[in-house]
Each structure stands twice: as C-alpha cells, then as structure tokens.
Amino acid sequence: MCGEQTGAESKTSVNTIPSLNGLRAVSILLVIALHLAHANGTPEWAGRILRFVSGGNLGVMIFFVISGFLITTLLLREKSGGRGRASIPRFYVRRFLRIFPVHYLYVAVIFLLNTHIGTPIPGTLFIHALTYTVNFVGGTWLVGHLWSLGVEEQFYLFWPWVLGGSEKAIMRISALLILWAPLSRVLTYKIPSLNVYLLGGFLGQADALMIGAVFAVKLHRNPEWLHHALFKHPALRITAVCLMWGVSTLSYNGKLGIIVLPFGGTLIALSAAYLMLSVVSVRDDLTYRFLNHRVMVYIGVLSYSLYIWQQIFLYDKQWFLGTEGWRRFPVNLGLAFLTAAASYHVWEKPFLKLKDRFSGNGRRSDRAQSTAQML
C-alpha cells in the first residue's frame, strides 16, 4: 500500500514518475468500492454496482505491482549513484518512518475501541498486527486488511539484499518467485495447514511484487524501452484493463478456478505492470491528464492513510456507540476521507519530513540520470 513515493516527496519522485500517484488513486478507489459494497447503509442495488466495478481485490494487486516497481527503481538508482550501492540501513529507516507511525496509530486506536466492538478482537491478533504477520493467519474486519502490509514488509526484509547482487542473480531470483507463486497458491488452497510452512501468505502474492520489480530492472538497464511502440497502443491498454478486471472478478467470485487460482494473480500483475508503463510513457492523452489531475494526485498521496482508516467506516457490523448515522453512505465515505486527510497532514507529514533526511544522496550515474529523465 505504500511505495516509496509520498506526498512529502512530491518535488522529486512525483515529478520524475508521473501518473503513479494517479494509479494509486485508482487502486485505493477500487478497494473502497469493494468495501463500500458490503458496508451498512449501502443500498443493495448500489452494492451490486460497486462489487461489479471493483473487480474484487484488483486494487490491492495494482498496489503490489507499483510497490515492487518503485522500491526497485529507487534502490537501483541509489546503487548506480556515487557510492555504487544502496544504503540498506537508510532504506530500513525510510521504510520505518513511512509505514510504522500510521500503522501503529491505527492498531492503538482499534485496541482502545476493542471493548466497544460486538465481537472483540483476540489479543493474539493484535500481536500479528503489530508484527506484520496478519497475512499468515487472517483476521477480523478491523485488522484483517493489514495482511497486505505484512506482504510488503516481508518483501522489504529481503529484496534490498537481493538488489545488492548482480543483475543476473536479481533476475533469477525474481523468476523463481514468479514461478513459485502459482504453485504456492494451489498448495495452500488444497492443504491450508501448509500456509505457514510454505510461507504462502507471502509467496502466494510474490509474483505481483516481482513482476513490478522485473519491469523496474528492465527499464533501469534500458531507459529507451519506455518509448517502445508496445506501450503506445490504446487497444493494448484497453486489453490490459479488461484482462485485469476480468480475471480479478472471476477470482473474487470463485469462477474458473482451475486457471484463475494458479495463474490469475500473475496475469493481473503482468497486465498492471504493462498498464503502469503505458500510462507513464504516453503523456499527451486523456488517460494521462486524468491520472495527473490534482484531485487524483491528492487521492494518491492519501492512499496509504485511506487504506488504513477506511476500514473503520466501511464496516458491515453493529459496533461502537450503537449509532448508525455516521456509518451510512455517503457520510461514512466522507468521514473516511476526512480521517485520512487528518492522518496525513497532522500525523504523517512530520515523519515524512524526517524520512527525507535519510534519502539517498550522492551523484547519480549517467544511466540513473537517464532513467530518471525517461520516467
């Protein structure tokens, strides 16, 4: 949910990689649409439309692809700089300052409200929430969405070390994880008890992160690739959107499982990665203007906070003070956005300013500068 690019970095990352905050906005709006479809107070007809539009878990998959791409791009740029390597300690400090403050604030709030919830959250689940391991155990609604942060945190644990190796080693490890992910999904579906032993909670999602990372490595090696005719075809872009949405919808509804279960995530990730580079490379059409509109950019900046806090307001159970009004559409949606904005401007920004002090410095190599200009 939270790649390196943030609102506090708008003078650097956002200007050099256009459209990505807009894609983040699309992703979080898809997540909200799915959750809003099941929320109390949402009319049944509206719920059907929202479920149809959201494409199931499509929004989260797009987030994973963007995260793999951005983290890899920024670490490779730092590696190509004056020191010839990325600083792993600085990377972890930046990740801590980006992710932990909002996440832990949310968990603290839910812990304090736990006695007011109709079905109290067990203490062990709070331990999993605090250690980013919800993706291995699942969870109740108010902390269950933190599974995706677990996937990202586990990606951050090993990927910077992999990027310190040769490009051949990076691509081999990426290919291994992409190939293993479909098998992991099948095995953990057939034998759920293997989930922890096979690291299915992470490896079952690894292809989305790795495909984003592979695209970043390819673009870093050859910045001109972004101008390939492959990324200029509107018909291919439409095909990618339809494939992503169609496969995700089939997966969410449990249809065509023999194909969708093993390969659905990989197809979605490949389509999302293609679409991501397509909207970055083409800068003179309606899609580009839409994704880079200031409203979409702002929603993209808020996307992490929105993902964290919307869970409280888009809930399908009776809880907390026994009131209905603040959880009915559109009040619940408005409150989710207001809470996310307050979280970002009041709580996140000081940590993001501190995080900027640990950004990689040093003179970039010609190739890194060229990649930045292409993006």
Side-chain angles (χ1 to χ4, degrees):
M1 302 302 102
C2 40
E4 189 78 12
Q5 187 176 342
T6 70
E9 297 161 308
S10 59
K11 293 182 181 179
T12 55
S13 297
V14 174
N15 285 339
T16 55
I17 309 180
S19 301
L20 289 191
N21 262 335
L23 278 178
R24 274 209 185 95
V26 171
S27 300
I28 190 59
L29 290 174
L30 289 172
V31 171
I32 288 174
L34 179 62
H35 291 176
L36 189 60
H38 299 281
N40 270 3
T42 300
E44 180 57 33
W45 63 268
R48 287 195 296 268
I49 293 173
L50 289 168
R51 283 190 291 271
F52 178 80
V53 170
S54 67
N57 290 321
L58 179 57
V60 176
M61 294 296 293
I62 297 173
F63 270 124
F64 285 155
V65 173
I66 293 173
S67 184
F69 176 80
L70 269 177
I71 292 298
T72 304
T73 295
L74 294 172
L75 284 171
L76 287 175
R77 286 182 185 179
E78 189 177 348
K79 182 180 178 180
S80 298
R83 293 184 303 172
R85 59 183 175 84
S87 171
I88 293 180
R90 282 177 177 268
F91 171 80
Y92 286 127
V93 171
R94 292 196 301 266
R95 292 295 83 209
F96 177 89
L97 292 171
R98 176 68 186 110
I99 297 172
F100 281 56
V102 180
H103 172 252
Y104 280 160
L105 177 62
Y106 175 82
V107 173
V109 168
I110 297 303
F111 182 81
L112 293 174
L113 294 177
N114 195 27
T115 56
H116 298 283
I117 300 172
T119 54
I121 302 170
T124 54
L125 195 50
F126 280 106
I127 294 174
H128 286 291
L130 291 172
T131 57
Y132 297 94
T133 53
V134 173
N135 56 317
F136 290 110
V137 297
T140 61
W141 176 260
L142 290 171
V143 294
H145 65 312
L146 301 179
W147 73 270
S148 62
L149 288 185
V151 172
E152 293 219 15
E153 285 298 299
Q154 290 144 28
F155 170 63
Y156 301 150
L157 282 178
F158 78 94
W159 191 239
W161 302 94
V162 173
L163 289 179
S166 66
E167 184 176 305
K168 182 180 291 187
I170 294 169
M171 297 302 282
R172 283 179 175 175
I173 292 172
S174 299
L176 178 64
L177 290 172
I178 291 170
L179 292 173
W180 175 257
L183 181 59
S184 174
R185 287 192 284 267
V186 172
L187 289 174
T188 53
Y189 174 78
K190 293 289 188 181
I191 313 173
S193 59
L194 293 178
N195 184 44
V196 173
Y197 301 106
L198 295 177
L199 301 180
F202 169 73
L203 293 176
Q205 311 294 330
D207 47 348
L209 291 158
M210 290 299 103
I211 285 170
V214 166
F215 273 56
V217 172
K218 171 70 174 176
L219 189 60
H220 181 76
R221 181 175 57 192
N222 179 22
E224 291 291 338
W225 185 53
L226 195 64
H227 296 304
H228 195 282
L230 177 71
F231 299 112
K232 310 296 183 181
H233 291 288
L236 288 179
R237 187 184 299 178
I238 293 171
T239 301
V241 170
C242 292
L243 185 60
M244 280 193 307
W245 176 84
V247 172
S248 184
T249 299
L250 287 171
S251 176
Y252 182 72
N253 291 297
K255 306 292 185 182
L256 207 61
I258 193 171
I259 295 175
V260 172
L261 174 62
F263 305 117
T266 308
L267 290 172
I268 292 170
L270 286 170
S271 300
Y274 167 80
L275 185 65
M276 176 179 63
L277 290 195
S278 175
V279 299
V280 167
S281 65
V282 179
R283 305 191 180 194
D284 57 355
D285 64 358
L286 183 62
T287 302
Y288 180 86
R289 291 192 291 272
F290 171 72
L291 291 175
N292 291 279
H293 190 277
R294 60 183 180 180
V295 173
M296 294 298 290
V297 170
Y298 184 64
I299 294 173
V301 167
L302 295 184
S303 60
Y304 178 42
S305 281
L306 270 171
Y307 185 78
I308 292 292
W309 294 103
Q310 51 80 35
Q311 209 82 351
I312 292 178
F313 303 99
L314 309 182
Y315 192 31
D316 65 349
K317 297 288 191 300
Q318 298 280 348
W319 76 288
F320 191 50
L321 301 181
T323 183
E324 284 290 316
W326 64 277
R327 293 190 298 111
R328 288 193 175 276
F329 178 82
V331 177
N332 55 356
L333 188 59
L335 286 173
F337 273 88
L338 287 174
T339 303
S343 172
Y344 173 73
H345 290 287
V346 177
W347 181 251
E348 286 182 69
K349 268 195 168 182
F351 292 101
L352 294 177
K353 289 178 181 178
L354 180 61
K355 170 178 169 287
D356 284 344
R357 299 181 185 178
F358 295 91
S359 297
N361 294 319
R363 186 175 177 272
R364 291 178 181 172
S365 68
D366 292 340
R367 184 170 66 175
Q369 292 178 15
S370 177
T371 304
Q373 293 167 0
M374 289 296 178
L375 289 170

